[in-house]
Amino acid sequence: MMNLPPQVNTAFEMLEAAGYEAFLVGGAVRDYVRDNSPAKDWDITTNALPEQVKAVFSDFHLIETGLKHGTVTVVIDHKPLEITTYRIDGEYSDHRHPDSVTFARNLKDDMERRDFTMNALAYNPKTGVIDFVGGKADIAKGLVRCVGDPNRRFREDGLRVLRALRFASVYGMAIEDATAAAIHRNKEQLKGIAAERILVELSKMLCGQGAADIMRAYADVLAVPIPELVHVFGFEQQNPHHDKDVWSHTIAVVENVPPEPVLRWAALLHDSGKPSCFSIAEDGIGHFYGHSEQSTLIAERVLDRLRFDNASRAQIVKLVRYHDMPIMANRKSMKRLLSKHGTGTTKQLLVLHRADTLGQSPICKHRLKTFNDASMIVDELLQEESCFSLKDLVINGHDMIALGIKGPEIGKVLRMCLDAVLDEQVPNERGALLAFVQTKKESR
């Protein structure tokens, strides 16, 4: 039996006491059947009409979330519950929302309008799970399958194309053959979907356990919202350091970074500029001079179009720009890297470099030791609370003024001190730094 919050039980009891049916639907039931994982949202469906729902819960705070589509949000003890009347959807002229809905009187009609069988399950403590469309069997077999005709489901709502890929990736499921064929057939429906909705689904898909499998099987679908990817599909690198084409390499890099949106998007776009930078030397070896900068320009364009938040956009672009920079595993180099990029970015760059190497030929595997050593040095430096920036220096502008240094020269001298500390010429100690400044001042 599902472990329901008291607010959901209260809603069931009140609707049933008024003579109506009530069932929990959506992700909460799906995840209960899958692995009994905790629910995040609680959606209820009922044969009560919206006005009847409002009457039942007249003593509670009500939000008319979507009366046109039969939804009323009831807030019980600070928990919002969406309660929606059984319905049958009309035509979807915008390929996203039904133009109209007809309120139904039975649960089966409501379940048969839903997107995927695993999302068309209902639950009530008295009846248990109710399944009209084979959702439990598909969950057991690990299949994402449309309810009814998959072409109709995707024509109704183009976003379902990406939702199918996201569910398959996140849950490590396969996509049923007819549903898969319909996804490829209806991929152009994505062109009419808002960028913000595309971004949410793509990010979840990229961070799923099955992201690599989805990228291999549905590259043509991903290229609809991100056409910049088309050029990397099957592009042979003709270089002994690369035993994969650019797309296969990209998939390997995505697979080898942690499932965090910034890292996964950086991995996806890090080599997007390679095809436009390709050249072959006289010895027949392929090269991609300047591809990091070109990939950065492409990343900026993609992220802007998908309307990323500014902080994520800036971080992804930075990782793409510096993904190919030389890394040397010594204290001075790591101090310089930390000083320029900060702790978070430095660690992410090392993770991305490592994943990039894992996606290359076996002859490159020796580089992994460099990145592992560099990571250890970074951890040691952080434990030592080393100085990486001007604010970490134990001296400041007031000390410079006391030494007779004025105006713009103060910043220049402090920067010189930081450089000396980063290069381990002078310890970050007050006496040593003041003596260093005095010596440099006297030598001028």
Side-chain angles (χ1 to χ4, degrees):
M1 181 175 289
M2 286 187 73
N3 182 23
L4 302 179
Q7 295 92 333
V8 173
N9 284 321
T10 296
F12 280 154
E13 291 166 3
M14 292 183 67
L15 285 166
E16 290 169 357
Y20 303 113
E21 297 176 350
F23 295 90
L24 195 64
V25 292
V29 185
R30 176 194 66 227
D31 294 341
Y32 166 67
V33 173
R34 279 189 63 253
D35 57 6
N36 198 22
S37 57
K40 297 177 182 177
D41 299 304
W42 302 96
D43 299 327
I44 294 171
T45 190
T46 178
N47 61 345
L49 297 173
E51 291 303 321
Q52 294 169 327
V53 171
K54 291 169 66 176
V56 170
F57 297 98
S58 59
D59 292 335
F60 294 85
H61 177 53
L62 302 177
I63 305 171
E64 295 183 356
T65 312
L67 286 183
K68 177 183 175 182
H69 297 122
T71 300
V72 177
T73 297
V74 179
V75 181
I76 302 177
D77 291 337
H78 308 291
K79 182 179 286 293
L81 306 176
E82 284 197 357
I83 302 179
T84 304
T85 303
Y86 300 160
R87 76 184 202 208
I88 299 172
D89 294 341
E91 294 299 315
Y92 285 69
S93 59
D94 67 351
H95 303 290
R96 184 71 186 94
H97 305 97
D99 298 334
S100 62
V101 301
T102 302
F103 296 133
R105 303 308 296 172
N106 66 80
L107 178 65
K108 185 172 184 292
D109 287 342
D110 187 83
M111 293 297 101
E112 289 179 344
R113 72 172 174 83
R114 295 177 181 265
D115 53 4
F116 307 111
T117 59
M118 63 179 174
N119 293 334
L121 301 171
Y123 176 86
N124 182 287
K126 296 176 182 177
T127 63
V129 176
I130 295 180
D131 179 10
F132 296 107
V133 296
K136 288 196 292 186
D138 283 339
I139 288 174
K141 289 183 283 190
L143 284 178
V144 177
R145 185 196 305 268
C146 281
V147 176
D149 177 12
N151 287 301
R152 178 179 178 180
R153 294 286 88 89
F154 294 132
R155 285 196 298 268
E156 287 174 342
D157 182 354
L159 189 62
R160 288 171 175 167
V161 168
L162 284 186
R163 279 172 60 81
L165 303 190
R166 185 250 290 185
F167 284 129
S169 176
V170 170
Y171 296 134
M173 301 173 80
I175 299 178
E176 179 267 335
D177 290 346
T179 299
I183 287 172
H184 291 291
R185 195 178 301 121
N186 290 277
K187 62 190 177 186
E188 298 298 322
Q189 300 287 353
L190 292 172
K191 290 183 176 179
I193 305 299
E196 294 88 348
R197 303 304 299 272
I198 294 283
L199 174 58
V200 169
E201 298 298 332
L202 283 177
S203 292
K204 290 180 179 178
M205 183 280 293
L206 279 174
C207 292
Q209 58 182 300
D213 292 335
I214 295 300
M215 291 173 69
R216 292 187 189 97
Y218 297 93
D220 60 317
V221 179
L222 301 179
V224 175
I226 315 177
E228 291 85 354
L229 295 177
V230 170
H231 304 289
V232 307
F233 297 157
F235 195 99
E236 296 296 339
Q237 306 197 58
Q238 301 182 45
N239 187 297
H241 294 96
H242 290 280
D243 56 353
K244 304 176 185 67
D245 64 64
V246 177
W247 183 236
S248 297
H249 165 73
T250 297
I251 293 172
V253 178
V254 168
E255 200 170 22
N256 280 291
V257 296
E260 302 166 7
V262 164
L263 281 169
R264 289 278 167 111
W265 276 99
L268 177 69
L269 299 171
H270 80 286
D271 274 353
S272 55
K274 270 192 169 181
S276 62
C277 298
F278 182 67
S279 63
I280 298 182
E282 292 183 359
D283 58 4
I285 301 299
H287 296 281
F288 301 92
Y289 299 118
H291 84 273
S292 294
E293 187 57 37
Q294 190 61 32
S295 297
T296 299
L297 295 175
I298 291 173
E300 289 174 335
R301 186 164 69 245
V302 171
L303 302 179
D304 285 344
R305 187 174 63 247
L306 292 178
R307 300 185 181 177
F308 266 77
D309 65 276
N310 291 336
S312 296
R313 178 194 181 280
Q315 190 65 6
I316 294 166
V317 167
K318 184 182 292 186
L319 293 174
V320 171
R321 177 175 283 117
Y322 294 108
H323 82 270
D324 204 34
M325 66 180 292
I327 296 290
M328 292 175 284
N330 60 65
R331 287 175 60 91
K332 292 182 182 179
S333 294
M334 288 303 100
K335 280 188 173 185
R336 287 285 179 183
L337 199 61
L338 285 162
S339 178
K340 181 174 182 178
H341 296 296
T343 302
T345 299
T346 296
K347 289 188 173 184
Q348 286 183 326
L349 279 171
L350 292 176
V351 167
L352 186 57
H353 272 73
R354 183 179 184 278
D356 200 6
T357 299
L358 288 171
Q360 297 170 357
S361 299
I363 62 173
C364 300
K365 294 298 186 286
H366 67 278
R367 298 176 184 168
L368 295 175
K369 183 178 185 306
T370 297
F371 305 134
N372 291 337
D373 290 347
S375 294
M376 291 176 61
I377 292 171
V378 167
D379 289 340
E380 290 171 0
L381 290 170
L382 293 174
Q383 288 178 357
E384 295 171 6
E385 298 184 354
S386 299
C387 174
F388 309 121
S389 65
L390 290 175
K391 66 180 178 61
D392 296 328
L393 283 173
V394 296
I395 59 173
N396 55 36
H398 296 296
D399 297 308
M400 299 300 98
I401 294 172
L403 291 173
I405 300 170
K406 301 177 181 179
E409 193 68 17
I410 291 174
K412 293 179 182 179
V413 174
L414 287 174
R415 183 70 229 186
M416 178 183 66
C417 290
L418 177 60
D419 287 339
V421 170
L422 291 174
D423 290 337
E424 300 191 340
Q425 297 174 3
V426 182
N428 187 30
E429 297 172 358
R430 181 176 175 77
L433 285 170
L434 292 176
F436 173 75
V437 172
Q438 189 64 41
T439 299
K440 290 295 183 181
K441 183 182 176 183
E442 291 172 356
S443 65
R444 292 182 182 181

